[in-house]
Amino acid sequence: MDVRRPFLPALRQPQLPGPQEAFNPLGPARGCPDTAAPGQAAAGPAPRPRQRFPAGPFPRSTARLRCSEMALALWKNLLQTTKKRILQQRSLYNAAHGYEEELIKKKLQQFSGGSINLSKEDNGIGILTLNNPKLMNAFTGTMMIELQERVAELENWKDGKGLIIHGAGNTFCSGSDLNAVKEISNSQDGMNMCMFMQNTLTRLMRLPLISVALVQGKAFGGGAELTTACDFRLMTPGSEIRFVHKHMGLVPGWGGAARLVRMVGSGAALQLLGGAVRVDPERALSMGLAQDTLRSSDQSAALAEARAWLGQYTEGPAAVIRAVKKVVTAGRELPLEAALRTEKDIFGTVWGGPANLQALVRRPKHK
């Protein structure tokens, strides 16, 4: 009997792009010629009739190269847009996300009490004080609005180098004022408040200032989230950080969960959020949530210690310290290629600057 081989489709040898066929990360550009290898049909259903390039002096490979260059230009433009969006924009949300800032600000204005105070010292250190000690510095509606205003003020402070955030009355912050929470408990208002505070704390995190949360007493709920928007956390003896959202039937909404995962990892973040765990200074240090424990619990003494601690990172010209914070922010938030370009741009602002030239004259010896 004649035994024939079963039919097998011909296997094509994979084709690598030639020197004129650079990889196009965005796919074929509209109007570009088919980039399938010579002698091969394009994958997928038969394409609709397309307008072909008129005969002319340019060979087909040149047309392909031009399309690849177009795609590369689009890709570079996308990276540049992403960089500007992350480092320069002042709002994560807009009307396209259902965000109505003026509406939520009008509602928040109804819940007054407390204040957010800012003092700017001659050495370039700002002191931001959460001042509502009767409610353990819980955020009222007007305090949320004032925090946004103080952050905007810090964005325009060109001589600033560092920022310390602390609470009045020897405690940090117990989260949101429950009276305000009850009045904006419908879904739309809650989402607008969430977006409002995410915008504010993201702008705080991206300030070109090296920031420290000085945690005295309790940092609960939204107060715990606020600490994660700072570069460093210092704790005093007997203080604690606790994400109590679960007991309120909630999850963090001010960006605290996303930032926490990046600080301590997903496993530790699940423990802190899922267990509403009390984190004392020792545990915070061991898991990387805090950077140091101060000696004193007294408010004025702890603030003096925090100033001295921060001073080791803010000593030097403001232009250089701010540049350091900017390159770190870019490295944390941008894709690598965009971060490298941003670092190059920031490097150009300090190279040959006053601090650089003075250092060259001094010829410092590094031990």
Side-chain angles (χ1 to χ4, degrees):
M1 184 192 318
D2 183 15
V3 179
R4 299 181 183 276
R5 286 172 155 185
F7 171 75
L8 292 174
L11 297 176
R12 293 199 296 258
Q13 189 71 17
Q15 300 288 326
L16 296 175
Q20 301 296 327
E21 300 176 64
F23 172 65
N24 180 353
L26 301 180
R30 181 173 296 180
C32 292
D34 184 7
T35 56
Q40 294 180 1
R48 293 178 297 177
R50 67 178 69 182
Q51 181 179 1
R52 295 190 176 277
F53 283 87
F58 301 107
R60 187 180 183 85
S61 60
T62 303
R64 288 197 193 112
L65 180 60
R66 287 190 167 187
C67 289
S68 296
E69 289 172 346
M70 288 168 54
L72 183 59
L74 287 171
W75 179 246
K76 289 180 178 179
N77 184 62
L78 177 62
L79 286 176
Q80 187 68 16
T81 301
T82 302
K83 179 174 77 172
K84 288 181 179 179
R85 177 177 60 82
I86 291 177
L87 294 180
Q88 296 178 9
Q89 78 165 10
R90 296 192 174 183
S91 180
L92 296 172
Y93 303 106
N94 54 41
H97 304 99
Y99 179 49
E100 301 176 82
E101 180 169 307
E102 292 308 312
L103 178 62
I104 192 60
K105 285 175 78 171
K106 285 181 181 178
K107 294 203 172 184
L108 292 174
Q109 285 281 11
Q110 300 172 22
F111 310 104
S112 60
S115 61
I116 304 292
N117 305 328
L118 174 64
S119 63
K120 293 181 284 189
E121 301 178 347
D122 292 339
N123 60 359
I125 304 300
I127 308 295
L128 190 75
T129 305
L130 313 177
N131 186 23
N132 192 14
K134 291 182 180 179
L135 296 178
M136 292 178 62
N137 299 320
F139 272 93
T140 62
T142 53
M143 286 175 68
M144 293 182 191
I145 295 171
E146 286 185 23
L147 179 63
Q148 183 195 57
E149 294 169 350
R150 298 293 89 76
V151 169
E153 187 177 344
L154 289 166
E155 287 172 335
N156 294 315
W157 185 28
K158 303 307 180 185
D159 296 325
K161 298 189 288 184
L163 178 68
I164 298 173
I165 301 179
H166 74 124
N170 258 17
T171 197
F172 188 73
C173 175
S174 61
S176 299
D177 177 11
L178 294 182
N179 293 320
V181 170
K182 289 175 185 176
E183 293 298 323
I184 58 173
S185 59
N186 67 77
S187 178
Q188 185 57 44
D189 285 346
M191 288 290 285
N192 272 316
M193 186 270 289
C194 165
M195 290 186 278
F196 181 84
M197 289 301 290
Q198 280 195 14
N199 281 344
T200 300
L201 294 189
T202 300
R203 289 168 61 183
L204 171 65
M205 181 176 66
R206 291 174 178 167
L207 286 172
L209 311 173
I210 299 176
S211 58
V212 169
L214 171 55
V215 181
Q216 299 169 267
K218 316 295 184 186
F220 286 174
E225 293 193 67
L226 174 57
T227 70
T228 67
C230 296
D231 299 311
F232 300 116
R233 282 145 297 282
L234 302 178
M235 300 181 70
T236 61
S239 62
E240 61 180 284
I241 299 173
R242 190 179 184 194
F243 296 84
V244 297
H245 305 76
K246 182 182 79 167
H247 295 320
M248 299 296 296
L250 295 170
V251 296
W254 296 358
R259 293 187 294 267
L260 183 65
V261 169
R262 285 160 174 76
M263 286 179 188
V264 301
S266 58
L270 274 173
Q271 290 179 327
L272 299 188
L273 298 176
V277 177
R278 297 178 186 272
V279 184
D280 60 19
E282 182 179 359
R283 182 166 185 175
L285 283 171
S286 67
M287 68 193 316
L289 183 58
Q291 281 64 48
D292 207 346
T293 302
L294 303 182
R295 293 188 300 272
S296 177
S297 297
D298 175 74
Q299 182 165 343
S300 58
L303 190 55
E305 282 189 69
R307 281 191 182 94
W309 190 93
L310 181 58
Q312 64 186 313
Y313 303 110
T314 58
E315 182 181 358
V320 176
I321 305 305
R322 292 166 69 87
V324 167
K325 175 62 184 288
K326 288 176 183 178
V327 296
V328 170
T329 299
R332 179 186 64 220
E333 301 196 20
L334 291 172
L336 178 60
E337 186 175 339
L340 290 170
R341 290 195 175 112
T342 302
E343 184 175 314
K344 177 262 297 179
D345 293 340
I346 296 170
F347 175 82
T349 67
V350 292
W351 176 267
N356 178 228
L357 295 178
Q358 290 171 15
L360 292 174
V361 171
R362 292 195 310 269
R363 302 179 67 180
K365 303 290 186 181
H366 306 294
K367 298 180 179 179

